[in-house]
Amino acid sequence: MTSRQAAIRGAGPVSSRRSTPRGETRAQTAPGFPRTRLRRNRREPWLRRLVAESVLTASDLIWPAFLCEGVGKRDPIASMPGVVRYSVDAIVEAAGEAKSLGIPAVALFPEVPAERKTPDAREAVNPENLICRAARALKSAHPDLGVICDVALDPFNSDGHDGILIDGYVDNDRTVEVLCRQALVQAEAGCDVIAPSDMMDGRVGAIRDALDQAGYDRVCIMSYAAKYASAFYGPFRDAIGTKAVLKGDKKTYQMDAANSDEALREVGLDIAEGADMVMVKPGMPYLDIVRRVRDEFGLPTFAYQVSGEYAMIKGAAQRGWLDNDRVILESLIAFKRAGAAGVLTYFAIEAARLLNES
Ligand code: PBG
């Protein structure tokens, strides 16, 4: 077939069809214009709903929530308009709303008071730390709401890094030992899913063994398998108070934005070490990675629409430059289209309300 014939059939240039064999088969069975008119299926709202390839519901959303010390607190975060840090009593109340909207799980991130941050991040393994107290309170108030706890040392480390610094370098194996103990205190507090976000090598296997040996074989691991060294984390670091203390950047452990094959190696290793679910992070700028991971491995693949993505959308919406509700839902369906099983998003509650209304 010549490229002109292909274009008449509505199949695009031959060269691009050759690179997508599945598309080629479909194009050859379609009769072509004018008998084929793709606009027919888009004519009415009910018809568009009927042929939709991806579906977004509240069940796809994980709500990342920030914690702070105190009672009755909802501290606003300037770079994330509409997002607050909750004291333990307040997160229990807010999580009740998340649950009633159909959100399956909440992911917890603590703002640790500066005086409790040390170079060895020992507060991370304190069974009475903020994250453990919140996990216990949430599980007792809402036993059927999933609780996901981040494993990484940055909230607790006076250097702001996800691991332990030795001579200015984040020491992998020393860090993994602490991460295992951190995972154990969180599991003991009732956490359902351990989510290592630190990007140390070998941590998933070590944490799996530590959990199993302590009798926590039912606790899941959702690994931040492909986590990039990203400028989109800026507002998050305001939220948990690590921006001011972070020395340097995280490029010796988080991935380089230039890499995609390497993401598959990361995911493959984490699965081999026992990850139940994997995550790609950030979200929207990395949807190509979500699609590759999903196609290659087929296991539940999550994506994290991170703080900077939230700030961009909210900031523009607040100025009237974007339609808040439509952009939120469009951004989230994009994750489903890319193959994600679900999305961690600061829009979770707002989006669930919109989805339940429609
Ligand atoms: C750190 C961690 C980060 C996020 C989740 N866990 C930030 C970082 O790596 O510096 C970012 C989330 C966001 O930006 O919303 N372990």
Side-chain angles (χ1 to χ4, degrees), residues 240-259:
I240 67 161
T242 54
K243 188 173 271 173
V245 294
L246 179 62
K247 293 188 181 138
D249 57 41
K250 301 190 177 183
K251 290 181 180 173
T252 71
Y253 46 105
Q254 299 180 345
M255 286 181 59
D256 187 324
N259 297 351

Side-chain angles (χ1 to χ4, degrees), residues 8-147:
I8 288 167
R9 285 175 171 230
V14 169
S15 57
S16 72
R17 290 172 58 241
R18 282 219 183 98
S19 65
T20 55
R22 278 185 302 168
E24 187 161 353
T25 314
R26 284 188 205 152
Q28 280 166 355
T29 56
F33 180 83
R35 275 170 283 172
T36 297
R37 288 179 184 268
L38 294 182
R39 289 183 57 191
R40 263 188 222 118
N41 284 348
R42 299 177 196 143
R43 197 168 54 94
E44 298 292 342
W46 63 265
L47 195 46
R48 293 195 290 270
R49 264 193 294 136
L50 196 62
V51 301
E53 296 172 41
S54 307
V55 183
L56 177 72
T57 71
S59 304
D60 297 311
L61 306 174
I62 294 171
W63 180 40
F66 298 110
L67 306 171
C68 64
E69 293 291 352
V71 179
K73 282 218 169 137
R74 288 168 187 249
D75 279 349
I77 298 155
S79 52
M80 300 180 75
V83 175
V84 302
R85 301 179 195 93
Y86 297 90
S87 54
V88 172
D89 57 313
I91 190 64
V92 169
E93 193 187 322
E97 191 196 355
K99 193 186 72 169
S100 67
L101 287 165
I103 293 170
V106 56
L108 303 177
F109 297 94
E111 180 204 40
V112 175
E115 67 273 14
R116 266 184 245 152
K117 297 183 194 233
T118 56
D120 62 359
R122 77 180 78 102
E123 179 68 4
V125 302
N126 173 5
E128 292 304 318
N129 68 19
L130 184 54
I131 198 160
C132 291
R133 277 181 278 132
R136 272 195 295 272
L138 283 166
K139 288 316 290 187
S140 86
H142 314 294
D144 48 358
L145 178 73
V147 170

